[in-house]
Amino acid sequence: MGLPLVKALVDLHRGNFDLRSTLGQGTCVTLELPPPPDAQSQTASPDAASD
């Protein structure tokens, strides 16, 4: 039940979810989520604010 829930939440946020598993080597899980809509205004460098 855990992975389907994770996939549903990632899809809800328009992100990407990748799961790769190799027998005897392990599993790699990658989650990519977009920044929040207001993050554009927060991504300016601190130096820019002091100009």
Side-chain angles (χ1 to χ4, degrees), residues 11-29:
D11 288 345
L12 181 67
H13 290 279
R14 296 189 175 118
N16 295 310
F17 173 76
D18 187 48
L19 177 74
R20 295 173 192 234
S21 184
T22 304
L23 186 61
Q25 291 186 354
T27 302
C28 180
V29 179

Side-chain angles (χ1 to χ4, degrees), residues 20-48:
R20 295 173 192 234
S21 184
T22 304
L23 186 61
Q25 291 186 354
T27 302
C28 180
V29 179
T30 303
L31 300 174
E32 296 177 331
L33 298 174
D38 64 348
Q40 292 294 332
S41 63
Q42 298 174 3
T43 57
S45 66
D47 294 335

